[in-house]
Amino acid sequence: MKKLFIITITAASALLALSCSKVIEFKGEQVEEKLVLFAEAKEGEPFTVNLSHSVFFLDAYNGLDKYIRHINTDSCRVEVSFNGGKPVSMTYLPGEEPDPYFFHVGTLTYVCNCIPSAGDEIEVSVSAPGYDPVKASVSVPRQPQAVIRSHSVTDTVSYDYYSSVKHNITLEINDPGQYSKYYRLNALQVYKDPDDGEVSVSGIFSIYSSDPVFISTLSDLDGIIDNIENIDSAESERKVPDFFSDQLFFGGSYSLTFNFTRSEYSYDPTIGYEARKAVRRAAADLPYGESLAILLRAVTPGTYYYLSSRDNTGGDFALFAEGSVIYSNVDGGYGALCAGADLFFVLEN
Amino acid sequence: MKRLAIITFLILASLHAYAQRQTISGHMTDGTSGEPLIGAAVLDITSGQGTVTNNFGFYTLTLPAGTHSLEFSHIGYNTERRQVQLLRDTTINIAFRPDAEFLTGAVVTASRSETGVRGTQMSAIEVPVNVIKSVPAIGGEVDILKTLQLLPGVQSGTEGSAGMYVRGGGPDENLLLLDGVPLYNVNHMMGFFSVFDAEAVKNVTLYKGSFPARFGSRLSSVVDVRMKDGNDQEYHGGFTAGLIAAKFNLEGPIVKGRTTFNISARRTYYDLLVAPILYFFRSDFDADKLSAGYYFYDVNLKLTHKFSDRDKLFASFYTGDDAVYAGIGYESRYNTEMYSEGRMRTVTAIDESNLDLGWQWGNTIGALRWNHVFSPKLFLNTTLNYTRYRHKLGIDMLENNRYENKGKVLMQGDTSQIRMTYNSDISDISVGTDFEYTPSPDHDVRFGLGATYHDFNPSVTSMYIRFTQDSDPGSKIDTTFGDKPVKTWEAALYAEDNFNVTRWLKLNLGLRYSLYSVSGRTYHSLEPRVSMRALLTDDLSLKASYTEMSQYIHLLSNSNLSLPTDLWVPVTANIEPMRSRQAAFGVFYSLGVVDFSLEGYYKTMSNLIEYRDGASFLGTTTGWEQKVAVGRGWAYGVELLAQKSVGRTTGWIGYTLSRSVRVFDREGNMINYGKPFPAKYDRRHDLSIVVTHKFDEHFDISGTFVFGSGVCGSLATSQIASPMDGLLASGDINHDFGIFTSTSYLEGRNNYRLPAYNRLDICAAYHFGRRLNKTISLNVYNAYNAQNPFLVYRDTESTMVQTTAPDGSVSVEYASRPVLKQLSIFPIMPSLSFSYKF
């Protein structure tokens, strides 16, 4: 009797809890393939364009050349012009094979001998058979006008197995013409090898600031817990603690106050590619050994919107989040033509 | 001089004639229970003038002095006739006798209610409770909101999603009233059931437009639900047990004819049935404690005291909750040797870990109401009420190890404890006074004022974390963060007059003024309400209306899922009130026992809010204002309703053709690049067919069929190669090429339309017993097991790919291909229920 009761209840529960998933036919409008363009202009660096094409999501082809196989490099034309001048054809540069183990996919790289300068107006146009032509333009920003107004060290903790130092920084952005309004901020631990000058860099994981200019997402709960000891509970009460290692913000002329804790456990080895590049560019000016640095980057509005929209996709709570339309400033296609300028501060060595 | 004399004579004559008018007033009730009847009609056969009872069963009719033949009627009851010699203001109370022959058709000859052919009210539907009880229901649980969702112009969203979407509006744009008290979240079990218990309900009216001036604060609809007062003569009650829930109700006199009570309660018991199963199976998880479950409950209570025919006092109370919980616990014990207090001892080492999750949401309301009849022409209703909606999500994790000897802790090991709770609640205290003044049969004037104090706590997260190691006190965090509480004030006053311009033309003119004070800013709103009815024949009328509404609160809802976690937030100093303007036009025709209505509407909405791209109620500690954008929208459509409400076969067909669009194109508030996009629940076609047939007093069947075009969702239909981590890849001085990965690209918000929705529900009921007071019902939800979409998502499937090489060798490998999948959650669900009434 008991067994029958349990079976009946279990069956009823199973029926009630039943859900099913099935493959369905896509009945929407199939979006045609478009050209995808990514490039970033930096003062003093050769200008490079990465080109590919979009693919319909149900396209069954899975090869790493999925996004370039329909572009004929012989008949594809990529041109760049500076400050309204005559367009210059960019040359296709064959690249290394993509790495399948890290989900890298291939794109087409186009290079030229053009070196952007701050203030340059750059326009890129691409035409390829079978695709609508695309065009994008950007203005190269100047280096940010900012200074470190104050830097202090507090809450030094030292155990046998762990040590940490809390840094408090006031960064003043002084941009009289409000030329740059969008910035990106990193704190970095840098090591320059005394023997060969090779630099390696890690991002400081938990920059903490209650400055309302930061719009962040609590995207890593584990990270919060790992760094929870760094919060002063009285300070955090009813405030909004923001944790980030790489943050976009909409700036202007004002002072930012932020702090972070530097310890063996607080650095982020996955610090972005751009930050590493910026450090390498400044390698000659870096002291040997370990340094603590702040990297402030001025970015164009298009760069800010693109990176913000990319930040909005995925994340730990993607299921409960709105879909994010990735920003594009490429007319007729997808992607982003971005530009930025770096300012590097070494805090201590 | 002569002219002056004539004018004076005419004035005096009219005054004299007016002075000869007397008023008949009183209450109409159910003769067996004493329950006041709403919308019961009184008609003067001689003059053709009439009126209907208000929400408290009170009517007033001013007629010339003299002899009158009056007819009192209400559907389901025998018509009462009175011959009256009207020489002074007269009180006539009517206690109707139920019509035993109701099944074969009650003839209604009096004026129809205000929602019928003759009334000025358009875009409004009264749904009798007996109709609600006859519609097929999941698990035998009849539901008021589910029945309203079968009416044209009202949409329900996807399966399993809560909310009502009326004429292109969102789920927060509906004013849901229980005895005049607003409720914020009326959904149980993800929208399968509402908090309204049909056993406790007397009357339900839905307004989709042409809102009377006495209603405000929401843009799209008003659902006015009135509870029964209780039988003032005898005790009656009943209980129902179904697959999902059990409920009981009891009503009766505390003092006969004077004080009554009505109580009903309902609870699901799925969790009680599952608990022993989990207990038996906990060892399969190596767990010492295993619990999981879901339940909801409702309790309704109403007390009514009649001081006299002029004064009546009501007290209403409702509380209800939904709760989801799960817990798992482990404990291991083993004996070991340990040096303690100067010697080696055998101690017990204990490792324990517990994880408990809880999710709870619910409403509590209370109301005190006083009716007073000043005179036959002036009726007063004063209300004091309280409502609160709260929602709580919690997690509690504990890991601990220690050493004990005979129950005494000798040494504490490591302890990790994390406790997080997320709370959100909104509560209101309101006071209001409403007057109904009927100076003549041609004028029905209402006016009143009210004030509400709102207390918002949109989201508060409390976090308690403690780590200790051995006897080291370790570290502890005890913090709270989230949105700050917001206190606001709202006040309104209104006036409206429903009056006959001519015999065929009737107008309702109203004006509502409201103000809202928040964070040092006060918003004002003037809302005109105009509706007209042109009676072409006794069975054919044309109606038109224009309405402006304001709304001062929003419901932040993620467009992918509608959850109890949706946040109620007020307008702020930066986010202005929502406003709507709606124009409607309709034709109403009565063909014998079938009523037809065809309505068209156009509605614009401003200051709508939606989550920005990538935003969620979770995952952020910043204020909600920064997560939303402000925009506007518009909706238009045509609604057809054909209903038959008398006879053995009753029911209706409702069809809606509509469109609802949103635009967020203001600087700093852009969504979808500022281009228009369809609203989440924009359904092009919506069809409902409801049929009930009574074979005889023992057996009846009913069925509903619904069909709707697919709702919208955001689906990324392109893939692009983009730089990893959003950073750009350019060649640098070390020729280190950047890294690109495959990224989904979303073309626009709500760019994809889900497959259409269709479902058939059937119900068969058998009534037996000496007084037919026992009923067994078989309900089948989704009778042909339609797999309706709950959501659509991208996935991959493995397929075998066979490749033949040039040398003829064949290789087989697995490749994954992308597919589009649909998740359906509710298959065919039969259920049995038994009910008993006494």
Side-chain angles (χ1 to χ4, degrees):
Chain A
M1 186 64 187
K2 185 166 96 171
K3 193 173 175 182
L4 180 63
F5 174 76
I6 292 170
I7 290 170
T8 304
I9 298 304
T10 306
S13 306
L15 185 64
L16 282 173
L18 225 116
S19 65
C20 80
S21 178
K22 68 175 184 182
V23 176
I24 61 172
E25 188 186 331
F26 176 79
K27 285 189 176 171
E29 205 177 299
Q30 184 160 333
V31 180
E32 59 185 28
E33 288 186 3
K34 292 185 181 178
L35 291 173
V36 180
L37 182 158
F38 280 102
E40 184 183 28
K42 278 277 177 68
E43 182 179 20
E45 273 191 32
F47 185 66
T48 304
V49 167
N50 284 273
L51 186 69
S52 58
H53 63 77
S54 65
V55 169
F56 181 58
F57 80 110
L58 290 177
D59 186 331
Y61 183 70
N62 280 322
L64 293 174
D65 62 342
K66 182 175 181 176
Y67 299 104
I68 57 175
R69 71 182 190 275
H70 292 158
I71 297 177
N72 185 332
T73 53
D74 293 333
S75 49
C76 174
R77 280 181 69 83
V78 179
E79 292 179 332
V80 61
S81 68
F82 281 65
N83 302 314
K86 188 180 171 189
V88 171
S89 280
M90 300 183 76
T91 309
Y92 169 59
L93 184 69
E96 297 173 0
E97 285 296 315
D99 189 338
Y101 294 105
F102 292 95
F103 307 105
H104 303 167
V105 294
T107 60
L108 302 173
T109 304
Y110 285 80
V111 298
C112 68
N113 293 325
C114 317
I115 309 289
S117 301
D120 279 346
E121 300 285 336
I122 299 175
E123 184 171 302
V124 176
S125 60
V126 181
S127 61
Y131 295 94
D132 292 336
V134 300
K135 198 162 55 172
S137 59
V138 76
S139 178
V140 182
R142 297 189 178 90
Q143 192 179 54
Q145 309 287 305
V147 293
I148 299 281
R149 276 289 172 223
S150 69
H151 172 215
S152 63
V153 170
T154 60
D155 292 349
T156 302
V157 173
S158 183
Y159 298 126
D160 289 342
Y161 53 87
Y162 172 78
S163 65
S164 71
V165 176
K166 186 173 176 183
H167 294 261
N168 309 291
I169 294 152
T170 298
L171 173 72
E172 185 178 289
I173 298 175
N174 181 13
D175 196 341
Q178 294 216 332
Y179 180 76
S180 294
K181 286 189 177 177
Y182 299 91
Y183 298 93
R184 197 165 182 180
L185 180 68
N186 290 103
L188 308 166
Q189 291 187 141
V190 182
Y191 176 76
K192 183 172 176 180
D193 193 310
D195 295 328
D196 58 11
E198 188 71 22
V199 295
S200 59
V201 58
S202 301
I204 301 291
F205 187 63
S206 53
I207 299 177
Y208 166 68
S209 174
S210 295
D211 196 297
V213 74
F214 292 106
I215 300 172
S216 73
T217 58
L218 204 66
S219 63
D220 190 338
L221 199 58
D222 290 338
I224 300 298
I225 294 169
D226 287 344
N227 290 279
I228 212 79
E229 69 265 24
N230 298 321
I231 303 176
D232 180 275
S233 59
E235 181 187 354
S236 68
E237 186 175 329
R238 279 301 184 186
K239 279 189 182 173
V240 178
D242 288 343
F243 299 91
F244 55 87
S245 61
D246 180 359
Q247 190 56 266
L248 277 167
F249 60 96
F250 175 70
S253 288
Y254 54 76
S255 293
L256 289 175
T257 301
F258 57 92
N259 53 54
F260 56 86
T261 297
R262 181 186 179 188
S263 72
E264 294 96 271
Y265 304 103
S266 65
Y267 51 85
D268 174 14
T270 65
I271 187 65
Y273 177 75
E274 272 303 292
R276 289 200 298 274
K277 269 188 9 181
V279 169
R280 288 190 191 123
R281 277 195 293 270
D285 301 324
L286 288 173
Y288 289 104
E290 275 200 4
S291 307
L292 184 65
I294 299 292
L295 174 62
L296 179 70
R297 284 171 280 174
V299 296
T300 59
T303 307
Y304 175 82
Y305 293 138
Y306 167 71
L307 292 172
S308 298
S309 65
R310 276 300 309 265
D311 279 351
N312 287 335
T313 60
D316 292 342
F317 303 117
L319 174 62
F320 301 106
E322 290 296 333
S324 183
V325 178
I326 298 177
Y327 174 83
S328 172
N329 63 359
V330 177
D331 289 336
Y334 303 138
L337 176 56
C338 304
D342 302 334
L343 184 60
F344 204 68
F345 300 95
V346 176
L347 291 179
E348 66 179 36
N349 174 229
Chain B
M1 188 64 181
K2 185 177 171 184
R3 189 182 295 176
L4 179 62
I6 293 170
I7 292 171
T8 306
F9 171 77
L10 287 171
I11 292 173
L12 287 173
S14 64
L15 284 174
H16 177 72
Y18 191 80
Q20 295 298 308
R21 299 178 79 83
Q22 307 296 338
T23 301
I24 305 169
S25 63
H27 290 86
M28 296 196 221
T29 60
D30 180 306
T32 55
S33 66
E35 193 69 45
L37 296 175
I38 302 171
V42 54
L43 174 70
D44 175 27
I45 303 291
T46 312
S47 64
Q49 292 182 325
T51 189
V52 296
T53 53
N54 66 9
N55 286 332
F56 303 95
F58 179 78
Y59 76 95
T60 175
L61 180 64
T62 300
L63 298 170
T67 304
H68 295 272
S69 293
L70 300 177
E71 197 169 81
F72 300 85
S73 61
H74 190 58
I75 195 161
Y77 297 90
N78 290 321
T79 300
E80 300 284 335
R81 293 177 178 82
R82 298 281 189 277
Q83 199 77 358
V84 174
Q85 187 70 15
L86 194 61
L87 300 174
R88 64 183 72 80
D89 289 344
T90 303
T91 300
I92 300 177
N93 294 321
I94 300 293
F96 285 100
R97 287 166 294 142
D99 180 5
E101 299 298 320
F102 172 55
L103 282 175
T104 59
V107 179
V108 179
T109 58
S111 303
R112 304 278 178 136
S113 74
E114 274 305 294
T115 60
V117 171
R118 290 178 165 267
T120 46
Q121 185 66 56
M122 65 181 298
S123 308
I125 303 172
E126 279 181 41
V127 186
V129 178
N130 63 302
V131 170
I132 293 169
K133 290 181 180 178
S134 67
V135 171
I138 304 167
E141 282 296 313
V142 295
D143 189 77
I144 288 166
L145 288 196
K146 286 294 173 201
T147 304
L148 294 181
Q149 287 165 358
L150 297 171
L151 298 171
V154 182
Q155 311 216 4
S156 61
T158 56
E159 192 126 78
S161 77
M164 222 165 64
Y165 302 81
V166 180
R167 291 188 171 176
D172 57 334
E173 297 173 22
N174 309 305
L175 181 63
L176 297 148
L177 301 170
L178 181 60
D179 266 1
V181 184
L183 287 162
Y184 283 99
N185 185 327
V186 297
N187 297 291
H188 288 310
M189 212 166 155
M190 304 295 287
F192 253 110
F193 307 101
S194 69
V195 303
F196 302 112
D197 183 352
E199 294 300 330
V201 169
K202 176 166 60 181
N203 182 273
V204 179
T205 306
L206 166 70
Y207 300 87
K208 300 178 289 182
S210 182
F211 302 101
R214 58 188 179 274
F215 295 122
S217 303
R218 298 291 189 276
L219 298 192
S220 289
S221 82
V222 176
V223 179
D224 190 7
V225 179
R226 298 282 161 176
M227 287 172 63
K228 290 184 201 169
D229 291 354
N231 194 315
D232 69 353
Q233 298 297 319
E234 300 171 330
Y235 294 101
H236 288 280
F239 73 84
T240 301
L243 186 65
I244 295 173
K247 58 185 176 183
F248 88 95
N249 67 287
L250 184 65
E251 57 175 317
I254 298 174
V255 176
K256 245 186 191 177
R258 198 159 284 277
T259 311
T260 63
F261 75 94
N262 185 354
I263 183 169
S264 65
R266 171 176 62 171
R267 192 197 191 278
T268 58
Y269 37 63
Y270 183 72
D271 57 318
L272 302 174
L273 299 175
V274 166
I277 298 173
L278 291 175
Y279 181 79
F280 287 129
F281 286 119
R282 72 189 189 285
S283 58
D284 286 2
F285 296 89
D286 294 324
D288 298 290
K289 177 192 91 172
L290 184 64
S291 65
Y294 166 79
Y295 68 86
F296 73 80
Y297 72 88
D298 298 295
V299 178
N300 284 279
L301 171 65
K302 187 168 181 180
L303 300 171
T304 306
H305 180 72
K306 183 177 163 185
F307 293 95
S308 66
D309 278 345
R310 286 178 172 268
D311 288 281
K312 218 167 177 182
L313 187 67
F314 308 85
S316 308
F317 172 76
Y318 165 84
T319 186
D321 263 346
D322 284 67
V324 180
Y325 60 91
I328 190 165
Y330 302 90
E331 186 182 90
S332 71
R333 290 171 175 253
Y334 59 92
N335 290 333
T336 185
E337 296 292 314
M338 185 178 124
Y339 190 82
S340 169
E341 294 174 347
R343 63 184 178 88
M344 289 299 286
R345 296 170 183 269
T346 300
V347 300
T348 304
I350 300 172
D351 289 330
E352 67 172 343
S353 64
N354 282 292
L355 171 64
D356 290 294
L357 304 168
W359 190 15
Q360 193 172 0
W361 64 95
N363 294 277
T364 299
I365 70 168
L368 205 59
R369 193 172 299 107
W370 173 47
N371 287 171
H372 179 67
V373 180
F374 285 98
S375 73
K377 296 181 185 178
L378 184 60
F379 176 90
L380 164 75
N381 174 50
T382 296
T383 308
L384 173 68
N385 66 58
Y386 169 80
T387 183
R388 183 184 179 204
Y389 171 70
R390 66 209 170 278
H391 156 254
K392 181 176 175 179
L393 186 61
I395 177 171
D396 199 334
M397 290 193 301
L398 173 69
E399 285 187 3
N400 170 259
N401 57 64
R402 60 189 183 277
Y403 298 91
E404 289 183 359
N405 179 250
K406 293 178 184 172
K408 179 184 168 188
V409 177
L410 297 179
M411 189 166 108
Q412 191 69 250
D414 297 344
T415 299
S416 302
Q417 184 173 19
I418 297 175
R419 191 188 308 140
M420 278 183 65
T421 58
Y422 169 89
N423 289 279
S424 175
D425 73 75
I426 174 173
S427 59
D428 297 348
I429 297 175
S430 303
V431 60
T433 295
D434 301 285
F435 292 89
E436 294 175 29
Y437 176 55
T438 313
S440 75
D442 291 326
H443 285 269
D444 185 6
V445 179
R446 298 192 188 208
F447 56 96
L449 66 156
T452 303
Y453 171 72
H454 300 282
D455 187 355
F456 293 87
N457 285 286
S459 96
V460 177
T461 302
S462 299
M463 189 187 297
Y464 175 80
I465 299 176
R466 179 169 66 102
F467 299 107
T468 62
Q469 191 170 30
D470 297 332
S471 299
D472 191 315
S475 57
K476 185 178 83 168
I477 292 296
D478 190 354
T479 184
T480 302
F481 52 87
D483 295 300
K484 292 179 184 171
V486 180
K487 326 272 184 194
T488 69
W489 278 99
E490 181 179 354
L493 56 93
Y494 71 91
E496 63 177 274
D497 185 10
N498 199 23
F499 62 98
N500 293 310
V501 178
T502 67
R503 191 183 174 280
W504 61 271
L505 181 64
K506 196 167 183 179
L507 282 182
N508 185 310
L509 297 179
L511 188 65
R512 183 180 180 90
Y513 166 74
S514 62
L515 66 86
Y516 198 86
S517 176
V518 56
S519 302
R521 184 161 176 186
T522 301
Y523 295 101
H524 302 269
S525 172
L526 206 56
E527 302 164 28
R529 314 279 174 89
V530 179
S531 59
M532 60 79 76
R533 179 269 290 154
L535 191 67
L536 303 182
T537 70
D538 279 351
D539 298 313
L540 175 65
S541 65
L542 301 177
K543 299 187 188 183
S545 69
Y546 175 76
T547 308
E548 290 189 15
M549 304 286 282
S550 294
Q551 181 168 333
Y552 302 104
I553 62 172
H554 304 272
L555 179 67
L556 288 181
S557 176
N558 176 266
S559 71
N560 293 327
L561 301 165
S562 288
L563 299 169
T565 47
D566 296 343
L567 300 176
W568 285 99
V569 293
V571 298
T572 68
N574 302 311
I575 296 182
E576 296 186 0
M578 294 198 284
R579 301 202 196 277
S580 76
R581 295 177 176 173
Q582 184 179 163
F585 178 79
V587 178
F588 294 76
Y589 181 58
S590 181
L591 180 65
V593 294
V594 181
D595 293 330
F596 295 90
S597 69
L598 180 66
E599 282 190 47
Y601 68 89
Y602 184 84
K603 179 162 81 172
T604 62
M605 297 157 280
S606 61
N607 297 326
L608 302 175
I609 64 171
E610 283 208 18
Y611 277 119
R612 296 177 186 269
D613 285 353
S616 164
F617 77 94
L618 286 176
T620 183
T621 55
T622 55
W624 64 268
E625 283 184 72
Q626 292 165 328
K627 292 189 280 182
V628 301
V630 180
R632 64 188 193 282
W634 60 88
Y636 52 89
V638 174
E639 298 166 6
L640 171 68
L641 176 65
Q643 58 174 333
K644 178 176 183 285
S645 51
V646 293
R648 287 193 178 275
T649 304
T650 56
W652 69 83
I653 297 174
Y655 171 73
T656 308
L657 175 67
S658 66
R659 187 165 180 243
S660 182
V661 180
R662 300 287 183 266
V663 174
F664 286 72
D665 58 358
R666 281 163 34 184
E667 188 63 39
N669 285 278
M670 286 219 190
I671 292 175
N672 203 46
Y673 292 115
K675 293 184 290 187
F677 59 94
K680 168 69 177 171
Y681 290 105
D682 171 48
R683 275 193 209 275
R684 196 67 61 245
H685 305 280
D686 190 73
L687 171 71
S688 300
I689 301 174
V690 180
V691 178
T692 300
H693 181 74
K694 291 183 183 293
F695 289 95
D696 53 36
E697 61 183 8
H698 288 285
F699 185 57
D700 48 72
I701 60 169
S702 60
T704 61
F705 174 74
V706 294
F707 173 86
S709 304
V711 297
C712 298
S714 300
L715 180 71
T717 54
S718 291
Q719 294 287 121
I720 64 172
S722 72
M724 198 167 155
D725 291 329
L727 300 170
L728 299 173
S730 308
D732 73 347
I733 54 174
N734 294 323
H735 302 292
D736 185 7
F737 287 96
I739 296 162
F740 282 72
T741 57
S742 188
T743 304
S744 299
Y745 190 87
L746 177 65
E747 277 77 24
R749 183 168 290 199
N750 296 338
N751 62 318
Y752 184 71
R753 203 162 280 277
L754 272 64
Y757 182 97
N758 63 98
R759 196 186 79 237
L760 172 69
D761 306 328
I762 54 179
C763 171
Y766 178 70
H767 313 281
F768 60 101
R770 219 154 37 110
R771 287 171 297 166
L772 300 177
N773 60 339
K774 302 184 190 71
T775 301
I776 290 181
S777 299
L778 170 67
N779 277 271
V780 183
Y781 178 84
N782 195 8
Y784 56 77
N785 198 31
Q787 292 179 337
N788 289 306
F790 173 61
L791 57 85
V792 165
Y793 63 100
R794 294 157 46 139
D795 202 353
T796 55
E797 275 196 344
S798 288
T799 55
M800 266 196 322
V801 177
Q802 188 172 292
T803 313
T804 305
D807 63 0
S809 61
V810 175
S811 62
V812 174
E813 58 180 2
Y814 282 96
S816 65
R817 70 178 180 104
V819 293
L820 186 64
K821 282 188 174 176
Q822 166 187 294
L823 179 69
S824 306
I825 56 173
F826 295 124
I828 179 173
M829 289 197 286
S831 61
L832 267 180
S833 65
F834 170 76
S835 67
Y836 172 76
K837 294 190 194 313
F838 59 89

